[in-house]
Every structure is written in structure tokens, then in C-alpha cells.
Amino acid sequence: MVNEKIQKALNDQIQAELHSSYLYLSMCAYFESLSLEGCGHWMKIQAQEELMHGLKIYDYMILSGSRVLLQPVEGPATTWDTPLAAFEAALKHEQYMTKRCNELASLAIAEKDHATNNMMQWFVTEQVEEEANVESIVSKLKLMGKDGPGLYMMDRELASRAAPTVAPAAE
Ligand code: FEO
């Protein structure tokens, strides 16, 4: 049985994951407005992944007999100064999400909730990849310069990102 303190933290994390999804969908819309469809595609896939993260916690809560209480999702930023600034904001956001996941895992350990800790370890590992992916894009954009052929090439590269697969609660 998941205790009340952890149930609250998990409900807060569902909200944070859904907000992440909303933020990346907003970045998708920003890129689409610039006709950078590849960057938009990458962000739309990212938005889908974040929704799946929220659902993974949702499913775990249901499976463990916890009460899911959905909370309002704050509106995201809608524009950025440059494509690079949007990806830098995405990186900063992922660093924030990593901190949240680590804190939730630490709370589960402190509460001796091994099942929740085990579930959160999936997120801790996932965050390493998430940060690395965005960091790589930021580095390449910086190398290429902020406009022209470099950005066009990056847009084409990001268009090939594959759709996410469903990650069940038990995985
Ligand atoms: Fe689910 Fe990228 O944080």
C-alpha cells in the first residue's frame, strides 16, 4: 500500500508530466509556425512520451490501490526567441524533471516504499537519456549556427524520430 505522502507526490508527478507534454506540444506549434516541421515532429513525439510518463504513473497508482487525483495543468510558454532558445528551454526543463524524479525516488526510499522506488528507477534511467538527447541537439545547433543550411539539415534529421512505444506500469 502506497502511503498518503507518496500518493500526493505521485499525483504531483502526473501533473508535472502532463505539463511537460503540454510544453512540448507548445514547442511543436512554435516550430510548425516557423515551417520547421522536423523540429515540430521531434517535439510532438516528445509530447507523446511525456503523456506516456504520466500514464505510467497513473497505471501504477491504480495497480497499487492508490487514489489518482488529477490537478490543473498550467499553460505553457508559447514562443521562444530562436529555435536554439526553445531547445535550451527543453534541456532546462528536462534537468528540472530529473531533479523531481530523483527526489521522488529518494522519498520512496525514505518511506521504505520499495515498489514505488522500483517504479521511479525507470524514470531515473529514462531521464539520463532524455537529457542526453536534448543536450546533443543543443550542442549541434550551437555548432551549426542559428540559421541557414545548418538549421535546415537539423530539421531534416529530427524529422526521422520514431514514435514512442507504450511503457506499461510494471516495466
Ligand atoms: Fe517525463 Fe522528460 O520528463
Side-chain angles (χ1 to χ4, degrees):
M1 182 66 189
V2 177
N3 75 26
E4 299 259 320
K5 198 194 264 186
I6 293 197
Q7 285 193 40
K8 179 174 183 324
L10 290 172
N11 274 312
D12 289 349
Q13 190 62 20
I14 290 176
Q15 181 193 38
E17 299 290 354
L18 294 192
H19 177 256
S20 301
S21 180
Y22 217 26
L23 173 65
Y24 293 131
L25 193 59
S26 184
M27 287 181 177
C28 172
Y30 162 74
F31 284 121
E32 304 264 29
S33 78
L34 299 177
S35 297
L36 289 169
E37 287 90 2
C39 295
H41 170 79
W42 193 95
M43 284 296 174
K44 193 180 279 179
I45 298 284
Q46 188 66 19
Q48 289 170 356
E49 284 212 353
E50 299 302 348
L51 176 61
M52 278 173 37
H53 292 172
L55 291 175
K56 188 177 177 77
I57 298 169
Y58 176 100
D59 288 344
Y60 170 75
M61 289 187 76
I62 298 297
L63 197 65
S64 64
S66 303
R67 179 72 169 97
V68 172
L69 295 168
L70 296 180
Q71 302 168 47
V73 178
E74 194 188 329
T78 53
T79 192
W80 291 267
D81 289 342
T82 61
L84 173 60
F87 276 104
E88 283 177 329
L91 177 58
K92 200 169 160 204
H93 185 73
E94 284 309 317
Q95 288 163 343
Y96 163 73
M97 292 302 284
T98 296
K99 186 167 172 285
R100 288 191 65 107
C101 290
N102 287 340
E103 285 172 359
L104 220 162
S106 296
L107 177 67
I109 291 166
E111 297 289 319
K112 299 185 171 51
D113 184 340
H114 300 293
T116 299
N117 177 45
N118 192 41
M119 195 267 302
M120 285 311 301
Q121 288 308 314
W122 182 91
F123 282 87
V124 169
T125 304
E126 173 77 359
Q127 280 307 120
V128 175
E129 192 185 312
E130 296 241 313
E131 276 196 39
N133 287 345
V134 189
E135 211 159 350
S136 164
I137 295 168
V138 167
S139 299
K140 284 178 188 156
L141 281 174
K142 281 181 176 167
L143 275 175
M144 288 171 169
K146 58 184 177 224
D147 47 34
L151 186 56
Y152 177 72
M153 277 171 57
M154 174 60 88
D155 191 57
R156 287 187 55 161
E157 183 183 324
L158 296 185
S160 64
R161 185 177 184 183
T165 50
V166 176
E171 228 178 55

